Amino acid sequence: MRRGFITGPVIGALWMVILSITVAVAMSFATGQAFRPSILLSLLWGAAAGAGVVALGRSRMVQLGLLAAVTVLVMLGIGPMLTGTETSLFARIFGAALLGLSFAASITPILDEIEPGELTRHEFEGSVIRFLTGFGYIFFTAIVLIPFYVMVMTSLKNQSELIQNPLDFSIDFSKGAELFRSYDELFNQFNFGTYLFNSFFISVLTVFITLAFAIPGAYAVARLRFSGQAAFSRSILLIYMVPMIVLALPIYIAFSMTGLRNSFWGIVMIYPVTTIPVALYMLQGYFRGLPAEVEEAGLMDGLSRLAVIWKITLPLSLPALASVSLYVFMIAWNEFLLAFMLLDDPSKFTLTRGIASLNSSEIPRQHLMAGSVVATVPIMALFLGLERFMTKGLTAGSVKG
């Protein structure tokens, strides 16, 4: 048993520390001005706010009061986030309001079940879980967004700006189209359009070849009975126990001897070797979950086994096929080691190999960052566009009744 007037201030103090750090870092990156969290003041005011929420309840008036209080404290310089003397008034107001709004909107749901009296174990654990969930969202979002933000902002700089202040990641939008000069030079001077097409072409071919082998293989493992079926099913992913760096040298020697090095077809041949096992593993698990009665009904109606696969199994497996296709495409699009070893001709570079060629002291850093953005954005857009197909209709076509 734990008392609410202890748990509320503790969670409030820790949550204020997390949010003050998050907002200070975000404002510093966005404006290039001095924002820093005050850990001591964050603990003090967070504990006071947590105690207030527990004592007064979680009404809209309490939220508005927290928003106003945190904003005023930050503006007075005695709040959980401090600003430098050179920080503009607008940035100070916006940062203070952002911290106040985020704290007021999030602390009340976290402390939703805490009352001034005794807490049950369920109520206490529920509050801790909500706190840790919020922390996890912020932490992992920061891990993903901060490098991407730095990459994008650096790509929009020019060489003189990077030399004068390499840690300033704010953007001067008054420059207009000049912001995208690095991207224009990337495609006109560094042949990046060819790299983009090569990666797309190779990745699409890899998807088709992988599915052509993985679908019949996964179906055989899931539906047919043959000697060694169980051992084969369990050993599909054994290839991933051997690091690719160990296989790289034999692959390089073999491709050099056969004349496949520095060619599209050599890359197209080797990429499916890395994707077919995982596609087999994913699809055979999905095929096992499909109702066998539907396929048996098709066989009884006179369909051949191949017709059953084409007309019944594959339509029911579209979510799994979309998921596997996207995963394989991402593997082929992002693969670097084999492309770096097997491709020397710039006209045949993939995106990852082209980006590696930009990592030179003779090439400005903004071009390297622009190339990284070009390689990242298409695969992000593809994932976000197809992600809904990966999780819907998983039980479509199942037997009812």
Side-chain angles (χ1 to χ4, degrees):
M1 305 291 285
R2 296 175 184 268
R3 303 192 68 83
F5 66 82
I6 296 177
T7 306
V10 170
I11 292 181
L14 295 177
W15 189 241
M16 181 65 85
V17 170
I18 293 171
L19 287 185
S20 62
I21 293 174
T22 302
V23 174
V25 171
M27 291 299 299
S28 298
F29 274 118
T31 64
Q33 300 177 29
F35 288 83
R36 63 183 181 86
S38 173
I39 304 300
L40 181 59
L41 292 175
S42 296
L43 291 171
L44 174 64
W45 295 120
V53 170
V54 172
L56 300 176
R58 290 157 291 280
S59 65
R60 180 71 57 162
M61 292 300 297
V62 172
Q63 289 183 322
L64 292 176
L66 286 176
L67 168 60
V70 174
T71 304
V72 170
L73 288 171
V74 172
M75 292 302 298
L76 293 176
I78 56 173
M81 185 173 66
L82 306 178
T83 57
T85 55
E86 73 283 0
T87 306
S88 66
L89 177 61
F90 175 78
R92 291 203 303 271
I93 295 175
F94 185 82
L98 180 61
L99 178 57
L101 179 62
S102 60
F103 183 79
S106 57
I107 190 61
T108 51
I110 291 176
L111 300 178
D112 186 53
E113 297 180 0
I114 295 183
E115 301 294 341
E118 298 288 347
L119 287 181
T120 65
R121 179 177 177 181
H122 170 74
E123 292 170 341
F124 173 74
E125 290 179 348
S127 298
V128 173
I129 289 173
R130 287 191 292 273
F131 169 80
L132 294 177
T133 300
F135 172 74
Y137 280 136
I138 292 175
F139 180 75
F140 290 107
T141 300
I143 288 178
V144 174
L145 288 185
I146 289 178
F148 185 75
Y149 178 83
V150 171
M151 181 172 66
V152 173
M153 294 300 104
T154 303
S155 71
L156 300 177
K157 300 282 188 178
N158 56 45
Q159 189 67 7
S160 61
E161 290 174 326
L162 291 175
I163 293 176
Q164 292 174 3
N165 193 352
L167 297 180
D168 182 6
F169 299 110
S170 60
I171 290 299
D172 181 10
F173 291 99
S174 63
K175 295 193 297 184
E178 184 67 18
L179 284 172
F180 303 97
R181 179 179 178 181
S182 298
Y183 293 90
D184 179 66
E185 294 175 350
L186 197 68
F187 283 92
N188 291 328
Q189 300 179 18
F190 295 94
N191 205 28
F192 234 70
T194 300
Y195 304 159
L196 195 64
F197 173 78
N198 291 346
S199 280
F200 179 79
F201 176 71
I202 291 173
S203 298
V204 170
L205 278 181
T206 302
V207 169
F208 282 111
I209 294 173
T210 299
L211 292 180
F213 284 93
I215 289 174
Y219 186 86
V221 172
R223 285 286 190 262
L224 306 182
R225 298 293 177 263
F226 55 89
S227 178
Q229 178 194 25
F232 180 77
S233 176
R234 286 191 289 265
S235 62
I236 289 176
L237 297 180
L238 283 179
I239 187 174
Y240 292 109
M241 296 182 65
V242 182
M244 182 54 65
I245 192 66
V246 175
L247 303 175
L249 183 58
I251 291 173
Y252 179 85
I253 295 174
F255 274 50
S256 298
M257 294 175 62
T258 56
L260 291 174
R261 190 171 68 85
N262 208 33
S263 71
F264 280 130
W265 305 116
I267 290 291
V268 171
M269 286 176 59
I270 196 61
Y271 275 12
V273 173
T274 65
T275 57
I276 288 176
V278 70
L280 268 171
Y281 184 80
M282 294 172 68
L283 287 177
Q284 60 99 10
Y286 190 88
F287 288 159
R288 282 200 178 100
L290 293 176
E293 291 86 351
V294 177
E295 297 178 359
E296 293 170 358
L299 292 172
M300 292 177 64
D301 288 341
L303 294 178
S304 66
R305 178 65 71 173
L306 290 178
V308 167
I309 296 175
W310 180 255
K311 295 182 178 181
I312 298 177
T313 306
L314 292 186
L316 292 178
S317 304
L318 287 180
L321 295 178
S323 176
V324 170
S325 298
L326 178 59
Y327 188 69
V328 170
F329 188 92
M330 291 171 61
I331 291 176
W333 183 273
N334 294 319
E335 201 285 323
F336 170 71
L337 178 61
L338 294 174
F340 183 76
M341 292 189 59
L342 301 178
L343 297 177
D344 296 324
D345 185 355
S347 65
K348 298 176 182 178
F349 280 178
T350 61
L351 269 178
T352 53
R353 182 66 180 89
I355 292 173
S357 68
L358 297 177
N359 189 18
S360 168
S361 58
E362 300 177 357
I363 299 176
R365 185 174 49 165
Q366 65 266 26
H367 292 89
L368 175 62
M369 295 295 103
S372 300
V373 173
V374 171
T376 304
V377 170
I379 202 67
M380 288 179 59
L382 182 65
F383 177 81
L384 294 176
L386 297 180
E387 189 256 348
R388 61 191 179 96
F389 295 106
M390 297 172 61
T391 55
K392 86 172 188 178
L394 294 179
T395 58
S398 60
V399 175
K400 298 181 180 180

